[in-house]
């Protein structure tokens, strides 16, 4: 089994204590709490970039996007999803 490289991250004691509290509350590790927090932040920033891109569309681009979205929604709802 390959070893995962690690490093030390210095955080204020209060933050470490909050991470430990969350880990205990969730019955998980401090690493898992930090990992989940970073993944959530990454996802939130990605969605913010999507919203920003949509806000910057011209009215013609927005109409095209809406039309394509409706077509995709219809394709998903056609009952051919294999289920």
């Amino acid at each position: 089994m390959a070893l995962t490289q690690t490093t030390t991250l210095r955080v204020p004691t209060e933050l470490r204590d909050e991470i430990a509290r969350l880990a205990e509350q969730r019955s998980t590790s401090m690493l898992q709490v930090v990992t989940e927090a970073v993944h959530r932040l990454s996802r939130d920033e990605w969605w913010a970039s999507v919203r920003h891109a949509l806000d910057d569309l011209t009215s013609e681009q927005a109409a095209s996007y809406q039309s394509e979205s409706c077509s995709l929604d219809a394709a998903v709802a056609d009952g051919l999803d294999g289920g």
Side-chain angles (χ1 to χ4, degrees), residues 35-73:
T35 299
E36 184 178 333
V38 170
H39 287 165
R40 283 185 183 189
L41 179 59
S42 180
R43 184 186 62 229
D44 290 350
E45 288 182 354
W46 183 83
W47 278 112
S49 72
V50 169
R51 286 189 298 274
H52 179 73
L54 291 173
D55 288 344
D56 288 345
L57 293 178
T58 65
S59 58
E60 183 177 286
Q61 290 169 325
S64 175
Y65 170 79
Q66 185 67 26
S67 174
E68 186 174 345
S69 293
C70 287
S71 296
L72 291 173
D73 287 345

